[in-house]
Amino acid sequence: MSATLPPVTAPDLPETKFGARAVLALRRMQDAREALRCCNLCAHRCGVDRLAGVSGLCGANSHANYFTAQLEVADELELVPTFAIALNGCDLRCKFCITGDMSWHSRAGHPLDTPALANAARQAMARGARSIMVLGGEPTIHVPALLELASALPDSARLVLKTNGHCTPDARVLLDGIFDDWVVDLKFGNDACAGELARIQNYLAAVHGNLLWAAVHSRLIIRHLLLPGHVECCWIPIARWIAGHLPGVKVSLRDSYWPAWHARRSSPLNRLVSPQESAQAKQIAADYELNLIL
Ligand code: SF4
């Protein structure tokens, strides 16, 4: 049985009231909801009917929940303070997830209240927030919610998508032109580590394709969280790929890993990144002439 779609606000709204981005988001909302009928928003390509209440690997249905909406200062300097809205649910299963409870449970958290969140975001901007960031979990499994949020925000807001980069072209075509910045977590440098640590297959092909796309369609920051014991297998191939395919792109290399969630149970994830690993990773970045940012 299929669910009845709620009506979408008329797309031909005067731009004096709604900005160009809001109009674009509203125009795409119906297509985004229809995409949930046979969900291929991420590279798992489950093909389930989320509007009928069927869930794929992410566990999400047709509605997005959020677990935090607050000012944050731990992201890249050019983006903070940012008003960060974190949506429940994710298509990856990273052992070391720092928000595992919320990211692995799509239906936990609070129902999305777009007017209230948009109002809070506007107040944060008035108090000096440099950007509004939507993250997760993984936000691209909730494309209709992303468009709904964007439709309620002024064009003057610097809108940032923080993503694991595992979405499909189906998702990104709906998001094209909506977010000013994509911050993509490039987590693994090879498919074996992605499979072992995040239960994901064919990781690199999906993420590399999205990085190349995002570099053209938005401002792109590639973020990599160094994992203990994964400098050789993950960071070196990542650095090499960036140098070869996206030279000059902003790279945010982070060594602030701590063993959260299921990482406490498995070596070498159950420790911090050592000072030696951190220094080695920075030297590799220098050798490949990466454009590191803070
Ligand atoms: S977002 Fe990905 S994991 Fe979730 S139902 Fe769609 S294809 Fe499956």
Side-chain angles (χ1 to χ4, degrees):
M1 190 179 77
S2 347
T4 306
L5 294 175
V8 173
T9 312
D12 293 324
L13 295 163
E15 301 217 356
T16 49
K17 186 173 177 194
F18 289 86
R21 175 167 57 201
V23 171
L24 187 63
L26 285 168
R27 285 188 171 135
R28 290 186 186 156
M29 210 137 16
Q30 192 76 31
D31 286 345
R33 288 194 179 111
E34 284 296 335
L36 299 183
R37 285 197 188 283
C38 177
C39 186
N40 288 300
L41 290 178
C42 86
H44 286 310
R45 294 191 174 277
C46 301
V48 296
D49 186 351
R50 289 170 55 181
L51 292 180
V54 184
S55 297
L57 289 169
C58 64
N61 59 15
S62 58
H63 300 291
N65 285 0
Y66 74 100
F67 57 96
T68 54
Q70 60 193 13
L71 268 180
E72 294 186 1
V73 294
D75 295 283
E76 286 70 20
L77 289 180
E78 66 182 84
L79 304 176
V80 297
T82 186
F83 185 76
I85 302 168
L87 304 183
N88 287 76
C90 186
D91 50 322
L92 270 57
R93 289 291 177 266
C94 300
K95 287 182 178 178
F96 50 88
C97 185
I98 58 168
T99 56
D101 259 342
M102 295 293 123
S103 295
W104 287 28
H105 298 114
S106 302
R107 299 180 197 185
H110 319 284
L112 201 70
D113 181 344
T114 297
L117 288 171
N119 194 37
R122 274 191 229 100
Q123 287 180 18
M125 286 171 63
R127 296 205 317 270
R130 284 203 175 94
S131 65
I132 297 168
M133 177 182 288
V134 190
L135 67 157
E138 171 51 33
T140 61
I141 67 171
H142 297 298
V143 173
L146 298 183
L147 295 175
E148 190 177 303
L149 284 168
S151 75
L153 294 168
D155 276 1
S156 57
R158 182 173 180 180
L159 206 48
V160 181
L161 181 73
K162 184 175 157 314
T163 171
N164 61 31
H166 189 243
C167 67
T168 59
D170 305 39
R172 70 191 191 208
V173 77
L174 290 163
L175 297 173
D176 192 5
I178 300 295
F179 287 88
D180 302 292
D181 300 75
W182 282 45
V183 177
V184 180
D185 267 320
L186 184 46
K187 293 170 183 285
F188 311 108
N190 66 83
D191 285 342
C193 289
E196 183 193 336
L197 302 185
R199 287 193 235 154
I200 194 158
Q201 308 300 316
N202 303 317
Y203 168 81
L204 286 183
V207 179
H208 285 172
N210 285 323
L211 287 169
L212 294 171
W213 180 90
V216 174
H217 292 252
S218 72
R219 288 188 295 253
L220 171 64
I221 295 173
I222 299 177
R223 190 187 281 185
H224 177 66
L225 176 67
L226 282 174
L227 299 174
H230 286 263
V231 172
E232 304 282 340
C233 56
C234 286
W235 174 234
I236 288 178
I238 286 173
R240 188 186 306 125
W241 186 87
I242 293 172
H245 294 82
L246 292 170
V249 74
K250 292 177 182 175
V251 179
S252 175
L253 178 63
R254 305 201 147 211
D255 59 6
S256 51
Y257 171 89
W258 63 284
W261 198 228
H262 300 314
R264 299 182 199 115
R265 298 186 210 135
S266 59
S267 175
L269 293 182
N270 58 355
R271 64 168 173 85
L272 302 179
V273 169
S274 69
Q276 292 77 12
E277 286 173 319
S278 181
Q280 183 192 2
K282 285 176 188 146
Q283 184 58 52
I284 291 161
D287 292 345
Y288 279 106
E289 300 182 349
L290 300 188
N291 179 18
L292 291 190
I293 61 163
L294 295 176

